[in-house]
Amino acid sequence: MADRIQLLPEHVANQIAAGEVVQRPASVVKELMENAIDAGADQIQLVVRDGGKALVQVVDNGAGMSPADARLSIQRHATSKIREAEDLFRIHTKGFRGEALASIAAIARLELQTRPGEADLGTHLKVSGGKELSVEETVAPKGTSISVKNLFFNIPARRNFLKSPRVEFRHVLDEFQRIALAHPEVGFSLHHDEAELYQLPASNLRKRIGHLFGNRMQDRLVPVEEDTQVVRVSGFVCKPEFARKSRGEQFFFVNSRFVKSSYLHHAVLNAFEGLLRPETVPGYFLFLEVPPESIDINIHPTKTEIKFEDEKTVYAILRSAIKHSLGQFSIRPVLDFDSDPNLQTPYSFRERDAVTPGVTVDRDFNPFAEPGSPSGRTGPVGKPVARGWEVLYEGLQEGGPAAREGLEWTVESDARDGTLFPGEALQDLGGIASFQIDRKYILTPVKSGLLLIDQHRAHQRVLYEQFLKSLSSGQPVSQALLFPLRLEFGPGEMQVLEGLREPMAAMGFRFGKQEGKSLEVVGLPAMIPESEAESVVDGLIAGWQRQEGEIGFSTADRMAKMLSRALAIPPGKVLDAPSRQALIHDLFACTETRRSPFDKIIHTSLTVEELEKKLH
């Protein structure tokens, strides 16, 4: 029998290892920028072309490398921070050269130019597909410049799986924002296709958030601070009224390293319980500092997932810290049994000076004197003033002015209609009666028994088919706004909107000027009220991000689904009888009535036979 097991060639092993670390251009950005930070740089420049597929270049002014270090950095298993196995569990840095460079060099054309501060000349190294092409001395500024060109040029199958430049750049932008937030003390700049998108000066965290997401974001932040023996929590959460449907501004950092954690995200949502609108999530920028030996950051090649030694305690501390901050800044209502509400000063009176009340006494007033007499009290113009309690009955005497004007006294009492469902009037429209159950379902009789309809899913189906019809006709109905709306979004959301402009225009959206992070809306589809414009656009962005990886659906279909999700009647909304009846008629006029656009069952029936079985 022939032998089947063999050692892989070196270049194949390098490409396999690269596939675990480098998934797309954003992975290259993450590794190179983290290396620059660990090199002690205080100014880092990122240059990207064609979404990162053509070029990713990172230039820093940190500690450069010697010629020997430069050549070793592109070798497999070369590292600057691990000397023994125990070092894996007490990692303080992100990785200074090496490790990732070997993986990147194996699947791209890499140029490295570096010079340490004490050297007169630097080193210029060229590598292609893991093979060293040349190394020579050169004149270079202090620091390191690494250019990665033509990613996956030697693995066509992997390159074909890359998305469009716009999508890839959105992932690059996400990585840039994460690293810039984690290190506000470092200055960053970002250039994409010759255009400068960011020039971030070194600052504090609050200002860095404003530079990245707009200055208005600073007014929405609530500081969070808690220091315990287990974990130190710091950062900011956004006020509940600014919660969004899209999940673009949720950041966790553990020991200054960005991580993804659904467990910690649940702790944040738990702290905001009762303060958020349905289907919205709050923004947060939270930093956790724990002993390095109490976490494991090597459970994923990209180190974006983490495992805590005592995760339940971290969960409880994080939730309590956020609740305390929301209560401290009067965002979450709190109960203070030690304070007397009668002694609290209203906000409108806190800046006013105290006024000494004045007392006047009419010593000649005789309560028993007739009105108008010399001893009776009169008003400013000599009109008699009503005496004490008599003012309550003034004008109500028989034949008085109020009686002559037809004043009537009525006594109200609770009305009883004797219906089985209080508050539900049984109205028969076209021979069909309907009821609303739990503000979620519509119950209506049919020939075979009873029909139970989910009002939210039914309205989704109706809107979905209406939007599809509007798109297929090519003549969307748009309503012009008297005053244009100016909406603000983050850079990542603006990138999504750039890709959605054409299909949104086909739906009836009309856009005006775009300045930085703000966009002007001058027209809306006829079915969208102006008051819900920002919520609908936010829902479109969130829906597009959720469906980004889906295939097999046209852009029109995805747009119709997202709009139907954003505009459908929410569960819990009270519908009157005409509205219920109109929804039933619209649903059964659709081509598909059984399932919603998201493949959920819309209605179910209960036959007479089933009712009889339940009653026996």
Side-chain angles (χ1 to χ4, degrees):
M1 182 177 178
D3 296 334
R4 297 184 178 181
I5 299 177
Q6 59 183 350
L7 291 175
L8 287 173
E10 185 71 13
H11 71 281
V12 176
N14 286 343
Q15 291 178 1
I16 293 174
E20 296 180 357
V21 178
V22 183
Q23 300 172 354
R24 59 196 335 150
S27 306
V28 177
V29 171
K30 175 181 182 296
E31 299 294 344
L32 296 185
M33 292 188 69
E34 287 182 346
N35 284 343
I37 289 170
D38 279 345
D42 59 12
Q43 289 292 330
I44 299 175
Q45 180 182 13
L46 173 63
V47 180
V48 178
R49 291 180 183 171
D50 198 22
K53 294 192 289 185
L55 172 68
V56 172
Q57 183 180 14
V58 174
V59 182
D60 68 70
N61 63 349
M65 291 183 285
S66 65
D69 283 348
R71 299 184 70 175
L72 276 176
S73 66
I74 62 169
Q75 301 299 320
R76 287 191 66 195
H77 311 305
T79 178
S80 60
K81 63 181 179 181
I82 298 176
R83 296 291 182 268
E84 53 189 17
E86 287 74 14
D87 290 340
L88 290 170
F89 302 99
R90 49 174 182 263
I91 295 175
H92 295 268
T93 62
K94 297 177 173 63
F96 173 61
R97 317 301 179 201
E99 306 165 19
L101 277 185
S103 298
I104 295 171
I107 42 85
R109 294 187 172 92
L110 183 144
E111 285 192 34
L112 184 151
Q113 187 171 296
T114 182
R115 179 178 74 84
E118 66 277 4
D120 296 328
L121 294 175
T123 304
H124 188 193
L125 178 67
K126 292 183 179 181
V127 183
S128 179
K131 296 180 181 180
E132 183 180 302
L133 299 181
S134 65
V135 55
E136 57 187 9
E137 290 185 332
T138 185
V139 177
K142 175 182 176 294
T144 304
S145 172
I146 301 179
S147 300
V148 179
K149 303 176 182 178
N150 299 331
L151 194 66
F152 297 122
F153 79 98
N154 53 351
I155 313 178
R158 289 292 301 273
R159 189 173 179 86
N160 291 337
F161 274 95
L162 294 179
K163 304 295 184 181
S164 66
R166 181 180 287 111
V167 174
E168 293 298 341
F169 179 69
R170 197 157 69 244
H171 290 282
V172 169
L173 191 61
D174 289 342
E175 290 295 346
F176 178 84
Q177 290 175 349
R178 294 165 183 173
I179 296 174
L181 284 171
H183 301 277
E185 72 282 358
V186 179
F188 293 91
S189 65
L190 172 60
H191 294 76
H192 181 226
D193 291 340
E194 310 301 332
E196 182 182 279
L197 299 185
Y198 283 113
Q199 189 63 250
L200 306 176
S203 59
N204 57 36
L205 178 59
R206 192 180 197 112
K207 290 183 178 178
R208 177 57 55 87
I209 294 173
H211 292 152
L212 283 171
F213 301 100
N215 291 327
R216 291 179 61 185
M217 177 62 73
Q218 297 189 51
D219 300 330
R220 305 175 181 179
L221 300 178
V222 177
V224 178
E225 192 75 30
E226 189 68 47
D227 196 355
T228 68
Q229 295 180 348
V230 178
V231 59
R232 182 178 184 275
V233 181
S234 61
F236 299 92
V237 295
C238 292
K239 297 177 182 178
E241 59 264 32
F242 299 107
R244 307 283 294 275
K245 292 184 178 179
S246 57
R247 296 187 56 178
E249 296 162 0
Q250 288 85 35
F251 297 90
F252 279 117
F253 300 91
V254 177
N255 293 351
S256 297
R257 186 190 296 272
F258 172 80
V259 298
K260 298 176 181 178
S261 175
S262 57
Y263 190 69
L264 296 180
H265 178 72
H266 187 271
V268 176
L269 294 182
N270 200 328
F272 276 87
E273 186 178 7
L275 301 177
L276 301 175
R277 301 187 305 273
E279 298 183 358
T280 60
V281 289
Y284 51 80
F285 309 85
L286 295 171
F287 290 73
L288 284 70
E289 295 181 19
V290 297
E293 61 273 10
S294 68
I295 58 174
D296 184 4
I297 63 174
N298 293 300
I299 61 176
H300 192 275
T302 61
K303 297 181 175 64
T304 56
E305 297 180 11
I306 196 168
K307 186 176 182 181
F308 292 93
E309 187 178 37
D310 189 0
E311 59 182 10
K312 291 185 178 179
T313 302
V314 174
Y315 180 101
I317 293 173
L318 178 61
R319 181 185 60 181
S320 300
I322 296 174
K323 278 190 174 183
H324 176 71
S325 295
L326 294 176
Q328 184 179 8
F329 290 89
S330 302
I331 294 172
R332 171 182 284 277
V334 294
L335 292 177
D336 188 355
F337 296 100
D338 297 328
S339 65
D340 186 353
N342 297 318
L343 301 179
Q344 294 179 358
T345 305
Y347 286 104
S348 57
F349 288 90
R350 289 191 175 183
E351 303 299 329
R352 297 186 183 182
D353 296 330
V355 179
T356 304
V359 179
T360 58
V361 178
D362 184 2
R363 298 183 181 276
D364 298 328
F365 174 67
N366 181 2
F368 301 102
E370 292 294 331
S373 66
S375 61
R377 186 169 57 181
T378 60
V381 293
K383 183 179 180 181
V385 179
R387 299 184 305 252
W389 52 267
E390 293 178 355
V391 70
L392 299 175
Y393 298 95
E394 184 179 11
L396 297 181
Q397 297 87 353
E398 185 176 356
R404 289 193 297 269
E405 292 176 3
L407 181 64
E408 296 182 357
W409 290 80
T410 60
V411 179
E412 295 185 357
S413 62
D414 294 336
R416 300 181 180 273
D417 55 11
T419 58
L420 180 60
F421 301 97
E424 287 281 2
L426 182 59
Q427 298 188 27
D428 193 349
L429 301 177
I432 301 178
S434 62
F435 305 91
Q436 193 176 24
I437 301 177
D438 197 26
R439 299 183 179 181
K440 295 180 182 178
Y441 307 102
I442 298 174
L443 182 67
T444 183
V446 292
K447 292 181 179 180
S448 59
L450 294 174
L451 187 67
L452 188 65
I453 302 172
D454 186 307
Q455 67 182 37
H456 179 63
R457 296 175 183 176
H459 199 212
Q460 281 183 340
R461 166 55 63 179
V462 172
L463 291 176
Y464 171 71
E465 296 203 3
Q466 288 178 353
F467 282 122
L468 272 185
K469 184 177 180 182
S470 175
L471 279 169
S472 61
S473 67
Q475 297 178 347
V477 179
S478 178
Q479 54 180 351
L481 301 180
L482 184 60
F483 300 102
L485 294 175
R486 184 164 292 279
L487 308 180
E488 288 199 4
F489 300 97
E493 295 167 329
M494 291 299 292
Q495 285 290 323
V496 175
L497 282 175
E498 282 296 322
L500 292 179
R501 269 182 176 261
E502 187 175 341
M504 289 179 71
M507 301 292 294
F509 287 91
R510 298 290 180 264
F511 298 106
K513 298 179 181 178
Q514 178 180 339
E515 298 177 356
K517 303 180 184 67
S518 64
L519 179 66
E520 196 175 66
V521 180
V522 298
L524 294 171
M527 288 179 283
I528 299 179
E530 183 177 346
S531 59
E532 298 183 13
E534 184 172 5
S535 175
V536 169
V537 176
D538 185 37
L540 286 176
I541 295 173
W544 192 265
Q545 290 172 336
R546 283 193 298 265
Q547 300 178 17
E548 186 178 343
E550 294 185 8
I551 58 176
F553 295 99
S554 65
T555 302
D557 182 82
R558 293 167 66 183
M559 285 291 297
K561 284 182 178 178
M562 290 184 291
L563 282 174
S564 67
R565 185 196 295 272
L567 295 174
I569 297 170
K573 182 178 178 62
V574 178
L575 299 179
D576 56 19
S579 299
R580 296 194 299 264
Q581 202 61 33
L583 181 58
I584 294 172
H585 285 310
D586 290 342
L587 172 63
F588 287 98
C590 295
T591 55
E592 166 62 47
T593 62
R594 181 68 177 172
R595 291 188 174 272
S596 73
F598 307 97
D599 202 30
K600 302 289 186 181
I601 296 177
I602 297 177
H603 59 80
T604 185
S605 60
L606 188 64
T607 65
V608 176
E609 291 78 9
E610 291 172 334
L611 286 171
E612 291 177 347
K613 289 180 181 179
K614 291 180 178 295
L615 294 174
H616 281 292

